[in-house]
């Protein structure tokens, strides 16, 4: 029964409270859930595929005043973004190495919900795990949820792991 | 890392084409997927919980002419329904015994989508697996889908396994 490992894609993002390189509460929860409930002791039966999607800034600038930006500033920002993303992924890759679970991790830019579905099409995981803040209908209207979009549109089974109630920050839209 | 087994609830129903005791294409697919992709060789790490929900007939009669029905006919029908349901569950329980995977199986009556959510509340599985016919939006409007309802309302993570395209019967609403 043990052939190719089951390939599980996990979408990961940064904490909106602690910022890079800290993972969000929900994606850390989804990762820990996958280890505890699915992988368990069968570390050779699974391969985890970590996808981090970075959202481009609307104007290409964060905290740099746009008036003073030069092409070099741009390059530097791109490098800095990439470094931050890699730092985030390191958290997951390190945990996998500790446990002896095979993994891959990569960064893409774009709208997370669309990029996740596109990467599912490209990589064909056996299923996708996404963390979710477990927002109510009222909050969801304003923030949109990647998990709902993926459940509807991704070309593979999707399991959505809600953040634990006792981990919800003061503002539930934070993560 | 191996403590209590991961408890996976799987909702199963009868084939609308072959009828009882045959399982539907989608729920058989969901079951096989769970074995192949999740349980794998780790047969002691999981316990499968099979729930079969029987839909009561609108008038309490199937093929019996209602004019001739007596209280005894009712009892007989109830017994027959139960026997059919048990026969359906036997398919899954037998497979689990063959493989050495722990399982439980039971029958409830009612509206499948509501009963499934209620049983999740009662039994607290780690997650729920439901098969789905993978109907398009047009077909879905008319038949409703248990999987979508469960993904929205069940109090545990839900993974929905779509029927394989090459297993779709001539009328995709059949299963």
């Amino acid at each position: 029964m043990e052939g190719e490992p089951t390939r599980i894609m996990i979408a990961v993002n940064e904490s909106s409270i602690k910022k890079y390189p800290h993972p969000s509460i929900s994606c850390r929860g989804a990762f820990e859930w996958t280890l505890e409930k699915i992988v368990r002791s069968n570390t050779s039966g699974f391969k985890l595929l970590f996808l981090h999607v970075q959202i481009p800034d609307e104007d290409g600038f964060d905290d740099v005043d746009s008036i003073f930006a030069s092409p070099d500033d741009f390059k530097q920002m791109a490098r800095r973004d990439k470094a931050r993303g890699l730092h985030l992924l390191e958290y997951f890759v390190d945990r996998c190495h500790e446990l002896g679970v095979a993994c891959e991790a990569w960064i893409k830019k774009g709208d997370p919900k669309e990029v996740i579905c596109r990467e599912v099409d490209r990589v064909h995981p056996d299923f996708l795990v996404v963390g979710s803040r477990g927002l109510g209908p009222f909050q969801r209207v304003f923030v949109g949820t990647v998990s709902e979009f993926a459940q509807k549109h991704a070309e593979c089974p999707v399991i959505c792991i809600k953040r634990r109630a006792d981990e919800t920050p003061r503002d539930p839209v934070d993560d």
Side-chain angles (χ1 to χ4, degrees), chain A:
Chain A
M1 215 162 142
E2 291 296 304
E4 288 295 296
T6 297
R7 297 162 70 245
I8 309 176
M9 186 185 276
I10 306 183
V12 299
N13 62 343
E14 76 280 17
S15 163
S16 65
I17 306 166
K18 296 193 191 169
K19 313 290 178 188
Y20 277 118
H22 300 280
S24 69
I25 300 168
S26 334
C27 80
R28 218 180 43 212
F31 171 56
E32 293 298 335
W33 185 92
T34 305
L35 292 175
E36 188 186 330
K37 300 298 185 186
I38 306 282
V39 175
R40 301 183 57 99
S41 64
N42 188 8
T43 48
S44 63
F46 297 88
K47 181 170 191 177
L48 303 187
L49 312 171
F50 299 101
L51 168 62
H52 173 45
V53 185
Q54 290 187 324
I55 306 165
D57 303 312
E58 290 218 333
D59 55 0
F61 302 97
D62 275 324
D63 24 24
V64 183
D65 190 331
S66 52
I67 287 194
F68 297 104
S70 70
D72 268 355
D73 291 332
F74 273 113
K75 276 189 206 148
Q76 219 182 332
M77 281 187 290
R79 270 197 303 271
R80 190 198 51 192
D81 280 356
K82 204 177 167 187
R84 287 171 166 179
L86 290 174
H87 247 70
L88 171 72
L89 290 172
E90 224 174 1
Y91 172 89
F92 298 97
V93 172
D94 283 352
R95 280 280 280 140
C96 284
H97 282 186
E98 270 170 42
L99 298 166
V101 178
C103 72
E104 280 177 33
W106 67 102
I107 300 172
K108 288 276 169 181
K109 289 227 168 214
D111 179 349
K113 60 185 192 303
E114 284 165 19
V115 174
I116 291 169
C117 293
R118 209 161 59 224
E119 289 297 284
V120 163
D121 278 355
R122 189 177 68 83
V123 169
H124 297 298
D126 289 303
F127 63 105
L128 169 68
V129 180
V130 280
S132 142
R133 289 166 289 184
L135 300 177
F138 179 77
Q139 295 152 333
R140 269 206 309 265
V141 169
F142 295 100
V143 299
T145 76
V146 169
S147 51
E148 274 187 24
F149 186 91
Q151 278 185 326
K152 274 202 187 127
H153 300 283
E155 279 297 325
C156 75
V158 178
I159 191 158
C160 166
I161 308 301
K162 278 191 200 143
R163 189 168 59 184
R164 289 195 348 243
D166 61 0
E167 289 198 315
T168 305
R170 199 173 306 171
D171 182 349
V173 168
D174 269 337
D175 195 22

